[in-house]
């Protein structure tokens, strides 16, 4: 597709369950970012992938959070043993290397932990 | 203390007015971004700046690296400009980490 695709668009899960969120970036975009936006809060950086380099995981809030990017394309953000404070909109963005041409954001996955 | 501060937090303007949103930051940066988020909508990247000024349509973004300050201007504002505008900086000292302002909620009244 022409844009960044995220799935699912909405996810309700029980506390303690694991969830996987998917991001399909724009073809040819080597940089991929995950952010989250909690209710009433600003955007929070989570993790950054650039090509085949080791990802920058400095924004991950705990070891329950992890992300992979297979083949330099699709990325999966996994949250283990979800907690209520994990409820947020999780956004993915992609760009060419160095941000050339700007960033394109996906429409996000709204995660609700009950 | 937030690394990125935006002002104002909320702004209401009449259609046609000239609007300025300010962003100050306290860290060394490699780039500054202005983002737009419409209510219930996605986020769009408006500008990426490392120096000087950029213009796109009715939007103008400026940055003063020495003063660690950026402004987003909207000329001839329109109700469709109503959105949250977010300033984000890419931290030079901490690799690729971004810091985000809390956003400015703009409402343009017809």
């Amino acid at each position: 597709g022409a844009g960044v695709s995220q799935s699912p668009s909405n996810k309700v899960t029980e506390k303690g369950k694991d969830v996987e969120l998917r991001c399909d970036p724009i073809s040819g975009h080597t940089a991929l970012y995950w952010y989250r936006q909690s209710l009433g809060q600003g955007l929070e950086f989570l993790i950054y992938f650039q090509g085949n380099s080791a990802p920058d995981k400095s924004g991950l809030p705990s070891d329950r959070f992890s992300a992979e990017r297979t083949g330099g394309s699709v990325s999966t953000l996994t949250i283990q043993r979800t907690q209520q404070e994990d409820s947020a909109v999780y956004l993915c963005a992609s760009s060419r290397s160095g941000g050339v041409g700007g960033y394109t954001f996906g429409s996000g996955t709204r995660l609700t932990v009950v | 203390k937030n690394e990125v501060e935006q002002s104002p937090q909320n702004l209401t303007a009449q259609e046609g007015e000239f609007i300025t949103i300010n962003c100050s930051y306290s860290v060394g940066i490699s780039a500054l971004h202005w983002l737009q988020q419409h209510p219930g909508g996605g986020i769009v990247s408006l500008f990426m700046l490392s120096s000087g000024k950029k213009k796109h349509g009715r939007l103008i973004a400026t940055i003063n690296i020495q003063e660690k300050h950026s402004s987003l201007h909207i000329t001839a504002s329109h109700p469709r400009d109503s959105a949250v505008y977010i300033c984000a900086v890419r931290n030079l000292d901490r690799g690729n980490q971004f810091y985000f302002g809390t956003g400015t909620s703009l409402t343009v009244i017809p």
Side-chain angles (χ1 to χ4, degrees):
Chain A
V4 176
S5 177
Q6 289 189 246
S7 61
S9 55
N10 282 284
K11 176 73 176 178
V12 179
T13 190
E14 292 181 352
K15 179 181 172 181
K17 300 283 190 183
D18 297 352
V19 294
E20 285 190 352
L21 313 179
R22 176 187 168 106
C23 173
D24 199 343
I26 291 175
S27 178
H29 279 192
T30 57
L32 187 148
Y33 302 80
W34 282 100
Y35 306 96
R36 72 176 175 182
Q37 189 172 35
S38 303
L39 186 63
Q41 303 294 317
L43 282 165
E44 178 186 3
F45 167 79
L46 297 177
I47 189 169
Y48 163 70
F49 294 90
Q50 172 59 57
N52 296 321
S53 302
D56 177 352
K57 305 179 182 179
S58 58
L60 294 178
S62 78
D63 59 8
R64 295 186 295 104
F65 288 72
S66 63
E68 290 185 340
R69 189 177 184 193
T70 53
S73 180
V74 172
S75 177
T76 302
L77 177 69
T78 301
I79 309 173
Q80 295 178 311
R81 305 181 302 281
T82 52
Q83 303 294 314
Q84 287 186 329
E85 63 263 27
D86 299 334
S87 297
V89 175
Y90 288 80
L91 290 158
C92 176
S94 71
S95 74
R96 291 193 178 89
S97 179
V100 173
Y103 296 83
T104 303
F105 283 79
S107 55
T109 294
R110 182 175 297 277
L111 176 66
T112 305
V113 182
V114 297
Chain B
K1 179 186 183 300
N2 291 333
E3 288 81 1
V4 181
E5 299 278 357
Q6 280 185 242
S7 64
Q9 287 188 321
N10 294 282
L11 181 58
T12 301
Q14 292 289 333
E15 183 173 357
E17 284 187 5
F18 180 83
I19 289 163
T20 296
I21 300 170
N22 294 300
C23 174
S24 297
Y25 53 92
S26 58
V27 296
I29 69 169
S30 57
L32 181 144
H33 301 260
W34 282 102
L35 311 174
Q36 180 192 55
Q37 185 174 31
H38 280 102
I43 293 176
V44 175
S45 176
L46 298 175
F47 294 103
M48 181 173 72
L49 295 163
S50 54
S51 65
K53 174 181 174 179
K54 286 190 177 180
K55 184 177 189 291
H56 181 70
R58 295 180 294 106
L59 302 178
I60 303 166
T62 64
I63 187 168
N64 185 318
I65 297 295
Q66 287 72 30
E67 295 184 2
K68 295 189 174 182
H69 181 269
S70 175
S71 293
L72 177 68
H73 306 286
I74 305 175
T75 62
S77 59
H78 190 277
R80 64 175 174 267
D81 297 326
S82 299
V84 174
Y85 292 84
I86 302 165
C87 175
V89 300
R90 192 167 183 177
N91 191 329
L92 187 64
D93 300 322
R94 293 191 65 179
N96 300 303
Q97 186 163 349
F98 279 83
Y99 291 116
F100 296 91
T102 52
T104 296
S105 180
L106 171 66
T107 303
V108 181
I109 299 171

